[in-house]
Amino acid sequence: MFDIATLLVSLTAVELIMSAVLLLFTATGHKVKGIIELALALFIGSFGSFLAFAAATPPVNRYFLFAASVCFVIGILLTARAMRSLQFMAPRKVMELSCLAIALIFNGWFILGEFYIVGMFVVNSALFAMIGLFSAVDLLSEKRPDLKPGCRILGIMFGLFASFMAFRALARPFIENGTGPHPQVTTIDTMAALVAIATAILWAVGYLWTVYGASEYRLKRANADLERFTGAVAHDLKAPLNSIVGFLGILKQPENGRDPEKTLDYLNSANEAAWRMNEIIDDLLEQATNANEEQVFKSVDTQLCSSNAVKNLDFHFKSTRSKIMADDLPVVWGNKTQLTRLFQNLYDNAIKYQNPNKPPVIIVKAACQDGTASFSVRDNGIGVPDDANETIFDYMQRVDAVKKVTGAGVGLAECRRIVEVHGGTIWVESLSDGGSAFHFTLKLPTQSDGT
Ligand code: ADP
């Protein structure tokens, strides 16, 4: 029905165009994870297709054919690498090297030695099926909400590709010789070229769509966060500002024998209100800095995050004679800076909301089960009222009873944001002895994380 030589020329052109489109994206300054690998994969694939086309013109050139078969394997391996990079995962180097070695040895033997083209078709199809299956599993198990929709579609495409290749690898030895440029080339091989054209287009478009969808999602979420945050900040800044204006207004009036202690009181109150504004502004700046933080996840030692958090709060710990016990904390999958901030916010609060009758004691524990690490940060402070257990994790929400303690109501909202970005949950438990226990979960690194 289709002439394989024509299909191979079309494949060369399609892959070259797709590779150029992806490179154009990078030339416009868009730094997207995996785009260079994918552009290179398509370029090498296009070179392979051209060699296959040259080889398909009788008499078949076995060196061109061998080189083409290896180019195709490199192309698919680079595509799989691009997808893993898109998902912030390290390449599977052992698998890559093994596939390349198999392609070189077996295809070399089949094409250069035996000139048994069917053998090469089986080897390549089996390798493509395996690489495609690994990519499909990675993509379909993506959990990040920004990448998930695109990765689902890409995962299905990889799954279909892997199924076709698995079928071809199994069925090919039993299919009779055909009448193509060489008797060993049959309809299913022509179909494979057609599938390759569709795949090259769909993978490149699917990849760009995933990248676009993820940036759109992040932009919408950042806008929504900013809207909520600026609204809350504007509201919260108004209260201390009104106090300052009020106290200064009183002080501006003639003294008329005003008690000097009262004057000092007003000044102190205005000063406190100014410090509160300062704290809110600091939080706003921190929020703005973190909004663009790239979510690069790695294996992170939470013991180190906890010690760094304690170091950052050194003065606070010493001046309040606080004690902390945090041992045997596990390695998790996450972002070190963000996890340090998580511990820091929780320790800071445990000290800030201390019981006036006892020095603060913080006990941190962790248990690992079924790929999840469950942490608890207990304190002996004033505790959180039961009716505030949910609201304290919202932006700018504070418990009325502690309004004397300065704070902006941002720390726990940040803790929740960090834990959720890491795919976990956070909640608080009021302890019977009066303190509170903050519980949160994080993911443990898995083998598929490339660790
Ligand atoms: P901030 O401390 O700046 O007010 P947070 O978001 O860190 O903001 O905390 C929100 C509220 O939760 C606090 O105002 C306080 O009422 C309560 N809270 C947080 N941590 C603790 C704790 N360890 N013990 C008692 N109350 C706490």
Side-chain angles (χ1 to χ4, degrees), residues 279 349-350 352-353 379 382-384 392 397-399 402 406-413 436 438:
E279 191 157 337
N349 279 348
K352 218 160 70 167
Y353 299 107
D379 63 47
I382 55 170
V384 179
I392 52 168
Q397 292 301 319
R398 309 193 69 215
V399 176
V402 303
T406 55
V410 170
L412 287 182
S436 36
F438 284 84

Side-chain angles (χ1 to χ4, degrees), residues 276 279 283 345-354 377-379 381-385 388 391-403 405-415 428 434-438:
R276 175 148 166 67
E279 191 157 337
D283 275 328
N345 279 340
L346 293 176
Y347 298 167
D348 191 21
N349 279 348
I351 299 174
K352 218 160 70 167
Y353 299 107
Q354 62 178 280
V377 177
R378 290 168 178 267
D379 63 47
I382 55 170
V384 179
T391 51
I392 52 168
F393 291 101
D394 291 338
Y395 274 101
M396 303 290 168
Q397 292 301 319
R398 309 193 69 215
V399 176
D400 282 337
V402 303
K403 291 265 159 93
V405 184
T406 55
V410 170
L412 287 182
E414 268 301 283
C415 288
V428 65
S436 36
F438 284 84

Side-chain angles (χ1 to χ4, degrees), residues 27 144-145 158 166 260 427:
R144 262 162 287 203
F158 272 87
W427 69 99

Side-chain angles (χ1 to χ4, degrees), residues 39-50:
L40 200 62
L42 287 161
F43 182 77
I44 293 177
S46 128
F47 184 60
S49 310
F50 183 73

Side-chain angles (χ1 to χ4, degrees), residues 168 276 293 319:
R168 186 182 180 218
R276 175 148 166 67
E293 227 172 61
S319 59

Side-chain angles (χ1 to χ4, degrees), residues 243-265:
S243 319
I244 297 172
V245 172
F247 289 129
L248 293 182
I250 298 173
L251 292 172
K252 216 170 66 182
Q253 287 163 13
E255 280 190 37
N256 284 345
R258 192 170 51 225
D259 182 357
E261 256 186 44
K262 270 250 175 292
T263 306
L264 200 63
D265 253 12

